[in-house]
Amino acid sequence: MAQTAESIGANVFQFFTRNPRGGAAKPVDKADVAAFLKYAAEKGIGPILAHAPYTLNAAGAEPRVREFAESVMIDDLRRLELTPGAMYNFHPGSHVGQGAGKGIELIAAHLQRVVARAAKGGGAISTTILLETMSGKGSELGRTFAEVRAIIDAAEADAAFGSQLSSPLGVCLDTCHVWDGGYDIVNGLDGVLDEFDRVIGLDRLKAIHTNDSMNVLGSRKDRHEKIGKGKIGLEAFRRIINHPKLRDLPFYLETPCDLQGYRDEIALLKGLRK
Ligand code: FE
Ligand code: FE
Ligand code: ZN
C-alpha cells in the first residue's frame, strides 16, 4: 500500500482493515509490517488512516449487530498497534428508529468497551480514533457537529476512558458528507470552521476526507464525486486545501477513481497549493 501511494505522488493513504462489508481480516504478516515501517520512515509516508468496515453499526437495535461492531473494532485496534501512531476512522452509526439520544448513548458505551478491551494489559493504545462526520442519510448519526460532540462527551464521561488512549478522540471531516449534511463549505467555509471550533474544537480535527459531491447542499445523499466534477467544485477545494486551519492536516481522497485517476487528482490538488 505504501509503495502504491508513493507511486502516485501520495504521502498519506487510507485503507480498509478488512473487507469493507465486514468479515475476517487477513492474518498479520510480520515481515510485511516491518517492511512497511521501514519504507514509510524512509519515504516520509504517514499518518496512515485505517477505515473500519462501513457496515458496522455501534448504534444498532439488535445486540448481535452491536457485538459484531465491537469485536471487529477491538481486533482492528489490536492490529493497529503494530503500526504505532496510526489513525482509525469509523462511521458513528445509525440509530435505526431508536432516536438520536439512544443512538448516541449506544455509540459512547461501545467506544468505552472497545477501548477498554483493546488497551487491556498493554496500557494506552497509540492509535487515534476518529469519528467521521456523516451526511445524515437514513438515521445516520454524526451529521451535525452537535451530535459528534455529544458522542465524544458521553464517551469521555467515563474517567478511565481517557487514560486508555494516548490521544483523545478525534474527528475526520468528510467534505462530501458535511456538504450533503447541510454545511456550506462552498460559500461559507470560514463560518463552518468557526462552528466546528465552537461545537467540537478544531484541536479534535485530525483528517480530511477530500471528496466532491454528486448532490446539492443538504441533500443527505452521500454520493462521492471526483474532485472538481461535482457540486462542491474546484474553487472550493482550492480554498479548503489552502485554508490556514486545514492546510497542515492530512487529506485522503475517497473519490470514484482508479489508480491513474488518483494520481491525476493528487497532481491537480498539489497544483492548487499556495
Ligand atoms: Fe467513511
Ligand atoms: Fe469518508
Ligand atoms: Zn461517504
Side-chain angles (χ1 to χ4, degrees):
M1 290 188 286
Q3 286 168 345
T4 304
E6 172 77 9
S7 77
I8 59 172
N11 56 2
V12 294
F13 64 88
Q14 176 177 242
F15 63 103
F16 280 111
T17 55
R18 61 190 72 220
N19 185 317
R21 296 177 189 279
K26 286 199 280 187
V28 170
D29 176 346
K30 288 270 166 71
D32 189 50
V33 173
F36 164 74
L37 291 172
K38 183 168 177 283
Y39 186 84
E42 273 168 21
K43 302 287 186 181
I45 291 174
I48 59 169
L49 177 56
H51 196 306
Y54 47 71
T55 49
L56 302 186
N57 188 9
E62 295 170 44
R64 186 180 51 80
V65 171
R66 298 196 300 269
E67 282 156 18
F68 180 67
E70 197 173 311
S71 65
V72 167
M73 284 183 61
I74 291 165
D75 184 45
D76 282 351
L77 286 170
R78 287 182 178 152
R79 288 160 170 269
L80 283 166
E81 287 305 299
L82 296 167
T83 52
M87 303 195 289
Y88 183 50
N89 174 75
F90 80 108
H91 295 177
S94 297
H95 67 68
V96 293
Q98 301 172 96
K102 178 69 183 173
I104 288 164
E105 206 177 281
L106 288 169
I107 298 162
H110 162 88
L111 280 170
Q112 289 168 349
R113 280 194 303 274
V114 163
V115 168
R117 287 184 54 198
K120 200 173 176 187
I125 61 171
S126 79
T127 302
T128 306
I129 300 173
L130 308 182
L131 294 107
E132 180 167 357
T133 59
M134 302 308 293
S135 68
K137 70 174 181 309
S139 63
E140 249 173 17
L141 292 162
R143 179 185 68 83
T144 66
F145 297 159
E147 282 176 356
V148 173
R149 177 76 218 196
I151 296 165
I152 293 171
D153 282 345
E156 292 182 346
D158 172 5
F161 185 72
S163 67
Q164 293 155 349
L165 292 170
S166 307
S167 314
L169 287 177
V171 176
C172 174
L173 186 146
D174 185 309
T175 55
C176 169
H177 295 179
V178 294
W179 168 258
D180 284 18
Y183 291 98
D184 191 352
I185 54 174
V186 174
N187 299 299
L189 181 60
D190 281 313
V192 172
L193 293 177
D194 285 350
E195 188 172 343
F196 188 103
D197 196 29
R198 204 165 52 243
V199 178
I200 301 175
L202 277 169
D203 53 331
R204 301 265 190 186
L205 183 56
K206 300 297 178 194
I208 308 287
H209 281 169
T210 316
N211 307 310
D212 211 324
S213 173
M214 289 186 184
N215 293 292
V216 296
L217 177 69
S219 63
R220 302 203 187 178
K221 291 273 211 258
D222 189 6
R223 297 286 308 282
H224 301 189
E225 182 53 286
K226 293 174 181 156
I227 302 299
K229 305 276 192 236
K231 303 290 186 199
I232 296 176
L234 199 56
E235 274 313 303
F237 283 103
R238 184 201 301 277
R239 290 191 291 273
I240 289 166
I241 63 167
N242 287 301
H243 196 284
K245 289 174 177 162
L246 304 178
R247 60 176 291 128
D248 294 328
L249 290 168
F251 291 84
Y252 303 87
L253 292 165
E254 298 180 312
T255 47
C257 288
D258 58 13
L259 201 58
Q260 182 59 44
Y262 288 128
R263 187 182 281 122
D264 294 343
E265 284 192 335
I266 290 166
L268 174 69
L269 289 166
K270 281 184 173 173
L272 298 178
R273 274 290 260 203
K274 287 177 195 137

